Amino acid sequence: VHLDLLPIQLLLLDLEPRKERHRFLKMASAAENLLERVRANDLTLDLIAENLKEPISFYGPFAEALKSNTVITELRLMSCRLGDEGAGLIAEALKVNTTINDLGLADNGIGNVGACAIAAVLRVNTTLLDLTLARNEIRAEGIAAIASALEVNNTLTAIRLYNNAFGDEGGQLLARCLLTNSTLQELLAFYCEMTDISALAFAEALKANAGLLSLDLDQNKITFTGAFAIAEALTVNVTLTKLAINLNPIEIRDGVNVLELLNTRLDDPQRAAWASGEADTKPATCIPLASD
C-alpha cells in the first residue's frame, strides 16, 4: 500500500506493479475523498475503481467533477452498480471532458438505454481511444446505437463488448460498421450468442476493412460454415493479425480443419508482403480453397 503517495486518507492498492500510475480503489468509504480530489483537479493517478458501492446520487456530482477534470486519462468503474442512469451521467461528462481516453464500465448492469448514451458520446468525443462495456446487459438495440456511432467515429481504436447477449442481430450490425470504420483496431465480442449468421457478416466486412488488427469471437455458436467464410476472407484481408474463434462448435468437414487453416493464414508473413507489393508471388495462404 503506497500511503506515502496520498496527501489525504484515500486507500489505494497497487495491483498492477508494471503500471506505476494505476491504482485500485477498494474502499467505498474513500468515495467522498475521491470526489473532492476530482473536483480539485489534483488526482495524479488514473482511476481504476471496483465495487464502489455508492448510491446513484454520488455519480451526479462525480460526473460534474469529471467535466472540468484535466488530469484523469483512464477511468474504469467496474462492478459499481451504475446501471443505465449512472452510465448516462458518465456519458454526459465525456461530452465535455477532453482528457479521458480509456473508459471501462464493465459489469455495471448497463442495458440498452445506457449503451445508447455511450453511443451518443462516440459521435462527438474525439479523445476516447479505448472503451470497455463487457459483462453488461446490452442487447441488439444498444449495439445498434453503438455500431451506428462507430460508422462516424474516427478515433476509437479498441472496444470490448464481450459477455453481452446481443446475438446475431447485434453481431451483424457490428460487422456492418466495419465496412466504413477504418480506425478500430481491436474488437472483442466473445460470449455474445452469435452464430454463423454473424460470422458470415464479419467475413464480408473483413474483405473490405483494412484497419482491424484483432477480432475475438470466442465462445459463440459459430460452426465450420462461419469459420470457413472468415478463413476465405483472409485471402483478401491481409491486415488482421489476431483472430480468436475457439470454444465454438467448429467441426472438421471434408478433411478441412478450419482452425488450422485460419492459423496458417494468419501466421504467414508473406500475406502482408504480397499486399504491399514487396513480394511478386501470391502466397498460397492468399488463394481461396473454394477456388482450388
Side-chain angles (χ1 to χ4, degrees):
V1 178
H2 301 276
L3 293 179
D4 57 316
L5 297 178
L6 306 175
I8 58 177
Q9 294 301 311
L10 179 62
L11 181 57
L12 296 166
L13 302 181
D14 187 356
L15 297 186
E16 295 187 63
R18 292 174 298 177
K19 299 180 180 179
E20 294 182 359
R21 297 182 67 237
H22 293 175
R23 298 294 183 266
F24 200 91
L25 181 64
K26 287 292 290 182
M27 298 185 65
S29 60
E32 288 305 317
N33 286 331
L34 169 63
L35 179 56
E36 290 307 311
R37 295 189 71 181
V38 175
R39 282 172 172 164
N41 206 35
D42 69 353
L43 186 60
T44 57
L45 304 173
D46 289 333
L47 180 59
I48 305 178
E50 184 174 39
N51 295 317
L52 197 61
K53 303 302 183 184
E54 293 301 304
I56 195 65
S57 58
F58 167 80
Y59 291 102
F62 179 75
E64 284 300 313
L66 284 176
K67 290 180 180 180
S68 57
N69 185 283
T70 58
V71 176
I72 298 174
T73 59
E74 180 177 2
L75 176 62
R76 297 190 183 184
L77 302 174
M78 301 168 287
S79 306
C80 292
R81 304 186 299 187
L82 288 173
D84 286 334
E85 185 176 355
L89 291 169
I90 299 298
E92 287 302 308
L94 290 187
K95 290 180 180 178
V96 179
N97 182 285
T98 58
T99 55
I100 294 174
N101 56 45
D102 186 335
L103 176 65
L105 301 178
D107 193 23
N108 273 295
I110 298 171
N112 290 332
V113 173
C116 288
I118 298 297
V121 172
L122 294 178
R123 291 183 174 275
V124 297
N125 182 294
T126 58
T127 307
L128 199 62
L129 303 176
D130 194 301
L131 174 62
T132 300
L133 292 172
R135 299 194 303 275
N136 279 295
E137 300 169 8
I138 303 171
R139 302 297 184 260
E141 180 184 342
I143 294 298
I146 291 172
S148 178
L150 287 176
E151 291 181 355
V152 297
N153 179 286
N154 59 10
T155 53
L156 196 74
T157 59
I159 187 166
R160 299 169 186 85
L161 297 167
Y162 57 87
N163 282 69
N164 284 289
F166 49 75
D168 286 327
E169 186 177 352
Q172 291 178 90
L173 293 170
L174 278 178
R176 188 181 305 162
C177 82
L178 295 178
L179 293 171
T180 54
N181 182 300
S182 60
T183 309
L184 197 67
Q185 299 177 10
E186 180 181 28
L187 171 58
L188 275 65
F190 60 84
Y191 204 62
C192 293
E193 298 189 4
M194 293 183 289
T195 72
D196 287 337
I197 294 173
S198 295
L200 292 170
F202 276 109
E204 288 303 308
L206 287 174
K207 293 176 183 178
N209 181 283
L212 196 68
L213 303 178
S214 178
L215 176 62
D216 193 332
L217 300 176
D218 274 354
Q219 291 181 276
N220 281 289
K221 301 175 182 179
I222 299 168
T223 71
F224 178 94
T225 299
F228 186 78
I230 292 175
E232 295 294 82
L234 293 182
T235 64
V236 179
N237 179 300
V238 293
T239 52
L240 192 75
T241 58
K242 182 179 179 181
L243 173 69
I245 198 169
N246 297 310
L247 300 178
N248 280 284
I250 300 171
E251 71 278 20
I252 296 176
R253 185 181 299 177
D254 297 329
V256 177
N257 186 326
V258 70
L259 293 179
E260 290 185 358
L261 177 62
L262 282 165
N263 289 332
T264 298
R265 289 182 172 169
L266 289 169
D267 293 342
D268 184 5
Q270 293 302 311
R271 291 171 64 240
W274 176 71
S276 65
E278 297 176 10
D280 296 329
T281 306
K282 186 175 184 178
T285 52
C286 287
I287 301 175
L289 289 186
S291 66
D292 290 348

